[in-house]
Amino acid sequence: MDHFISLAHGDGGELSHRLIKDVFIEAFGDGNSALFDSASVDIPIGKIAVTTDSFVIKPIFFPGGSIGKLAVAGTVNDLAVSGAKPVYLTCGFVIEEGFSISELKKIVSDMANEALKTGVTIVAGDTKVVERGSADGVYINTTGIGIYEPNKGCSLEFEEGDAIIVSGTIGDHGIAVLAARGELGISSPVNSDCASLNTMLAEVLNSTSDVRIMRDPTRGGLATTLVEIAEDFHLTMKINELDLPVKEEVHGVCDLLGFDPLYLANEGKAILIVGDKEKEMVLDILREFPEGRDAVVIGSILGKEKGQLLLETPLGSKRLLTRLSGTMFPRIC
């Protein structure tokens, strides 16, 4: 028989202790700090990367993942695209009264499995229980810590002709989550691309020093992320519509509902801008990994003055792309 979270699980007493012991320590291990208020960890001398994120996705289970897998992969990817090696994570849970403990165990198990896959250690955490109707099930907040290894990373030294690469098909996560909600009466065979990319991206950085920048195009999608890069570094960039990797199923839903795959969320893709001479080598490396098998060059840097992103259409015309205005749909991550 399933059991459910009660407010008493958040009062610091016996039920709270059992929840931590039976759910979280059971999955994550007691390490050196799980029973204390802070973690003691070893950090090599040098520069570290720190990121934090909150996950409120709806639904919490979706084709290809769950809020637990997403919490780890999303945090790991934020560190990896900065050129850091992810090493430690913390996690905070806000759990609604009445939430199923069996579902909570599944979420925590997904987190533990993804952490094991990526090589990161979950070293500290917290739980809070709120009244029924206050949290829509469960929310997760994470902090990730990574280390920068000497002579590895992104140069941020852009040149005209640099290649823009995306590591795979775009829009998969957005369509998978939208279909899982069932609000629009659509179904789709597309799974979320939710995945950790740190091993793949580390291999790229180990093989070349010509990576200018890496980013993960999550909320706002590919177009918004590229516009931000163009504006931040005063680059004129062009991408080719015919080269964009979009699954037919994603195209179909977008045509039906009026969405643009350029602005759909992704949770397992990376954008890399690399020197033109290194692009084929980088593509070969990416395609060695399941997460990068559909990697492709989608455009290039045209100049270093205006800060704009252009889309070349199949007819040869160009149009200016902007950031996503507003939210295409909320609670996507």
Side-chain angles (χ1 to χ4, degrees), residues 48-182:
I48 67 170
V50 180
T51 186
T52 190
D53 206 346
S54 297
F55 299 88
V56 297
I57 190 168
K58 180 181 180 180
I60 56 177
F61 298 100
F62 49 87
S66 70
I67 191 173
K69 179 181 179 182
L70 180 62
V72 174
T75 309
V76 163
N77 290 344
D78 283 346
L79 294 170
V81 295
S82 75
K85 176 184 177 182
V87 288
Y88 298 119
L89 261 67
T90 72
C91 56
F93 284 73
V94 177
I95 310 168
E96 185 180 44
E97 179 187 15
F99 190 71
S100 163
I101 289 183
S102 65
E103 289 193 353
L104 182 62
K105 286 184 175 181
K106 177 64 169 66
I107 290 167
V108 172
S109 175
D110 288 348
M111 292 185 72
N113 290 336
E114 193 67 14
L116 180 64
K117 175 184 173 183
T118 61
V120 300
T121 303
I122 298 174
V123 294
D126 181 53
T127 61
K128 292 292 187 292
V129 179
V130 297
E131 296 86 353
R132 189 185 298 268
S134 299
D136 201 8
V138 61
Y139 300 150
I140 303 175
N141 174 266
T142 61
T143 294
I145 299 173
I147 57 173
Y148 289 103
E149 299 181 283
N151 304 316
K152 295 179 184 177
C154 303
S155 69
L156 302 181
E157 297 177 357
F158 301 92
E159 296 181 6
E160 185 176 330
D162 285 349
I164 303 169
I165 294 173
V166 64
S167 64
T169 54
I170 60 173
D172 298 355
H173 179 73
I175 293 302
V177 173
L178 181 65
R181 289 180 184 173

Side-chain angles (χ1 to χ4, degrees), residues 5 15 27 33 42-43 72 93 115 170 189 197-198 217 224 228 242 265 290 294 303 307:
I5 297 291
L15 283 180
S33 58
D42 295 321
I43 293 290
V72 174
F93 284 73
I170 60 173
L197 306 177
N198 56 315
T224 297
E228 290 173 350
L242 287 174
D294 295 318

Side-chain angles (χ1 to χ4, degrees), residues 185-262:
I186 64 169
S187 61
S188 172
V190 177
N191 284 341
S192 168
D193 59 354
C194 179
S196 298
L197 306 177
N198 56 315
T199 301
M200 179 178 73
L201 298 181
E203 186 61 29
V204 172
L205 293 178
N206 287 337
S207 302
T208 179
S209 59
D210 277 349
V211 178
R212 317 304 192 199
I213 196 171
M214 301 188 296
R215 292 284 299 276
D216 53 337
T218 51
R219 285 167 293 180
L222 179 73
T224 297
T225 305
L226 286 175
V227 169
E228 290 173 350
I229 295 173
E231 292 181 351
D232 289 347
F233 296 96
H234 308 289
L235 305 171
T236 296
M237 303 193 297
K238 181 191 73 172
I239 57 175
N240 303 305
E241 189 172 1
L242 287 174
D243 293 330
L244 297 175
V246 184
K247 291 177 178 175
E248 290 185 9
E249 297 87 349
V250 172
H251 259 310
V253 175
C254 287
D255 290 343
L256 180 66
L257 300 177
F259 293 145
D260 187 338
L262 278 167

Side-chain angles (χ1 to χ4, degrees), residues 259-280:
F259 293 145
D260 187 338
L262 278 167
Y263 293 97
L264 290 173
N266 310 275
E267 288 294 346
K269 299 299 187 299
I271 297 168
L272 302 91
I273 299 181
V274 304
D276 183 64
K277 294 181 179 179
E278 299 290 293
K279 65 184 180 184
E280 294 301 330

